[in-house]
Structure formats: structure tokens, C-alpha cells
Amino acid sequence: MFVSLSITLAIQILATMAALTVPVLAPEAARTTGLPGALVGVFIALVYVGAMLSSLASGALVGRYGAIRVSQACLLLSGAGLAFAAGGTVWSMIVSALLIGSGYGPITPSSSHILARTTPAHRMGFLFSVKQTGVPLGGALAGLAVPPLVLLWGWQGAALAVGAACALMALIAQVVRTGFDADRDPRRKVSLGGVMRPLAEVFAHRDIRNLAFCTFFLSAMQLCLTTYLVTYLTAEYGASLVTAGFVLSLSQFAGAGGRLLWGYAADRWKAPNLVLCLLAFAMALASLITAMFGPDWPLLVVIVVSMVFGATAIGWNGVYLARVAQLSPPGQAGMLTGGTLFFTYFGVVLGPPAFAALVGITGSFAAGYAGIGGVILLVGAVLLYAELKGKGGR
């Protein structure tokens, strides 16, 4: 169990770091290439378009080649994407985003397949959450390691260095491949029908389908927090860029801690659906309070609210993934996780642009946080209704 958790966590960290390397490089790359730095938002959207599509294929690919082999291929795709990014042209950046996204999509279904086989049912919430700390940790590693690499080797060299780290991780994973991929079926066919099967299976399982729909909104909330908080704090709260970046980093670390805490709570209470419901209400409240930030608010209060926001809006993923694994028939956790992630990543693709559109109409980031907070409040109500209805039926 320790080995499976360690290898899936390491792979998740490297894949996330690869996805966030270009946004970290963006200011320096824009200075030397002349490409607008604002295009980084388009880059991230393309990454998640690639992730949406590749996540659907993950179930069939894991079944045929094994979860570790698929993870190795994903890391190599991410490394190749960073190599294309070093080209510094619009077209190379488009190819880069799609390659990185194609590598990012199957990472979580592959790890879910491994952990579902090696984790006791009563510890799934916590251990899945530990693995999912790889997302904020990968983001933190990108923020800490990439700027010094830029100073050493330039932004192209930094991109290539992170790509090389992905390739090295793929090589290290080969050590455990034989044991973890023992359940693969080389005769299993990968077809278009097989690629679309995860969506059909998600719709066939009511509880999993409902979770998938809810994660569309929860993932949108998560990305709106991380994408716009710095801009909001500098433009409307009046913080300096350094202070706003510090607040964002604290929210990320709170998100990593939240993933562990909520995973433990879900296992302890044996009520993952209730935990998700409470998290939805908490992040909605944090978003609504964030919308009220003003220049006269004490910085300490802003930090505390932002950390609660991060702990909830970033902290829900492990509980959700563990619940999907628990609800999945034996051997289908990876496929059904891939199917639900289609909706999760779709929320990432559409959420930030919808937020930006609301900001454009109102001229206020506060209106954006108030709007999405209201939407998540409704999601929490739906989750609570489903939980109460489910208990009433038992």
C-alpha cells in the first residue's frame, strides 16, 4: 500500500508540475517571444480540453496496457509537450498544451485503478486524498523550482528541465510496473466505442452520475479561486503583487491540508457524500465573503478567509475520487473515474471563461466570486437533498 501510494503521488506531482510550468514561465516567455502573456489562459484551457478527451480513453488503455504503463506514457507526453513549448511560437504552444493535457487526463484514472486494488475500503478517503495532494504540491513545486531554473538556463531551458524530470519519473516507475500491471489484458481492444464507454457507464450508475455533475461546478470553483485571486486582491483589495501571491500560496497549502483532513473525516464518519455537501456550503460561503473584501479589511482576515476558501475549494477531490472508487464495480474504478473526470475537466474549461464574462459585464471581480458562490450554494443544497433522500430510503 505504501509503494502504490508513493508512486502514484510522485507521478501526480510531476504531471501537475508539467501542466503549470508554462504559466509560471509565461512572463519571461512573453518578454522574449512577444507573445501576449494573457494567452496563458488559453493555454490552460487547451490543456484541459486535451485532458477531457484523454480521460475517456484511460479506462480502455489501463485495461490493455496497465496503469503504470499508461502513467509512463502520460509523463512522456507531458515531457514532449514542454519540449514543444520551448519552441516559443503560437503553434508550438498549441501543440504543447494539447500534448500536456493528453498526458494529464489519464493520470488520475490510472492511480485510482491502482489504489482501488491496494487500499482497504475503510481508508480509501484518506489515502486517495493523500494522493490528490500531489496537485497543489505540484503547483507549489512549479512555483518554487521553475523561476530559479529560468535564472540558470533561460525559460526554454527550464521547460526542457521539467520535461526531463517527467521522463526520469517515467523511468523510475518501470521498477514497479510488473507487479502493478499484472491485471492488464493485452488482448483487450481499444476502439472508439470503448473510448465512449466510460460516459455510458457513468450515466448507467445514478450515484456516480450525480457526483460527476456536481464536480463540474466544484472544479469550476477551484479554478476560479486559483486563476483570479491574485488579480482580484491587487485590483480591488489593493494588495501588492507580492502580498497577493503570498495569500494565494497560503490558500494552496491550505488546500493540500484540507485534502488530508476531509479524506480522514470521510473515512471516520463513513459519510463521504455528507462531507462533500458540507464542503460545498463552506466554499460557497468563503466565496461570498471573498466578494466582500474591501481596502479597509484587515490583511489577517483576508488571509484566513482565503485559506478556508483554499481548504474547501481545493480540498474536495480526494473524497470525490474515493467515493467513485467505492461505488464502482470491481475492476472498473479507473474507467469510471475517467468518465467522471470528463465532467470535472469540462468545468475547468468553462468555469474561468464564464467567471471572466461575468466580470466583463459587471466590471467587478467581486461580482464573479459572488456569482459562483451562489451557484455552489445551490450545488450544496442538491447534495444535501440527495443525502437526506438516500437516508430516508434506507
Side-chain angles (χ1 to χ4, degrees):
M1 186 171 65
F2 174 77
V3 175
S4 62
L5 178 60
S6 299
I7 195 70
T8 53
L9 176 61
I11 290 170
Q12 183 71 71
I13 289 173
L14 263 296
T16 304
M17 184 182 183
L20 295 178
T21 289
V22 171
V24 175
L25 295 172
E28 184 65 19
R31 188 181 67 81
T32 59
T33 64
L35 296 176
L39 287 179
V40 70
V42 178
F43 182 91
I44 289 296
L46 288 174
V47 166
Y48 280 98
V49 167
M52 279 175 57
L53 299 176
S54 63
S55 67
L56 291 178
S58 57
L61 293 173
V62 167
R64 177 166 181 165
Y65 299 106
I68 292 295
R69 178 63 84 221
V70 170
S71 297
Q72 289 173 304
C74 289
L75 288 168
L76 293 177
L77 281 171
S78 296
L82 289 172
F84 270 95
T89 67
V90 170
W91 289 109
S92 68
M93 287 294 184
I94 291 174
V95 173
S96 169
L98 293 175
L99 284 175
I100 292 172
S102 297
Y104 193 77
I107 290 290
T108 297
S110 297
S111 62
S112 290
H113 180 86
I114 293 171
L115 291 177
R117 292 171 51 215
T118 60
T119 304
H122 67 283
R123 299 189 67 186
M124 273 193 175
F126 180 72
L127 291 181
F128 271 70
S129 295
V130 171
K131 199 281 296 184
Q132 283 305 110
T133 61
V135 175
L137 290 177
L141 186 58
L144 292 172
V146 172
L149 291 175
V150 172
L151 294 177
L152 282 173
W153 299 320
W155 71 268
Q156 291 102 331
L160 293 174
V162 177
C166 290
L168 178 61
M169 187 65 239
L171 182 62
I172 293 172
Q174 183 62 29
V175 176
V176 299
R177 197 236 168 179
T178 301
F180 287 130
D181 286 357
D183 63 337
R184 67 188 185 278
D185 181 5
R187 295 170 296 180
R188 180 170 177 172
K189 294 183 178 180
V190 179
S191 62
L192 181 60
V195 168
M196 298 306 295
R197 184 185 170 197
L199 283 180
E201 291 294 331
V202 166
F203 279 99
H205 294 78
R206 183 190 63 185
D207 291 339
I208 294 178
R209 180 191 66 220
N210 292 342
L211 275 177
F213 287 158
C214 288
T215 66
F216 171 89
F217 298 100
L218 298 181
S219 63
M221 171 67 94
Q222 180 176 331
L223 262 290
C224 288
L225 166 63
T226 57
T227 302
Y228 297 111
L229 184 62
V230 169
T231 303
Y232 174 50
L233 290 178
T234 54
E236 298 186 25
Y237 174 64
S240 68
L241 182 60
V242 172
T243 299
F246 177 68
V247 174
L248 177 63
S249 67
L250 289 177
S251 74
Q252 294 288 309
F253 283 115
R259 292 188 179 201
L260 299 179
L261 178 61
W262 313 136
Y264 174 80
D267 288 342
R268 181 77 173 176
W269 298 344
K270 302 188 187 311
N273 289 348
L274 179 60
V275 170
L276 286 173
C277 169
L278 295 176
L279 286 175
F281 283 127
M283 71 179 76
L285 181 61
S287 186
L288 292 171
I289 295 175
T290 298
M292 294 187 287
F293 286 171
D296 58 334
W297 281 52
L299 179 60
L300 180 60
V301 175
V302 170
I303 289 174
V304 170
V305 172
S306 298
M307 291 183 70
V308 172
F309 202 170
T312 52
I314 300 173
W316 55 272
N317 309 65
V319 177
Y320 142 65
L321 292 170
R323 185 58 178 158
V324 172
Q326 290 168 344
L327 293 171
S328 299
Q332 294 188 31
M335 178 183 65
L336 282 164
T337 298
T340 61
L341 284 174
F342 178 87
F343 298 93
T344 307
Y345 293 145
F346 200 19
V348 172
V349 171
L350 293 186
F355 186 102
L358 183 56
V359 171
I361 293 171
T362 62
S364 169
F365 282 91
Y369 280 113
I372 194 167
V375 170
I376 299 300
L377 204 59
L378 292 176
V379 172
V382 170
L383 287 170
L384 179 60
Y385 173 77
E387 177 68 8
L388 294 176
K389 184 179 180 182
K391 284 187 176 181
R394 289 196 288 268

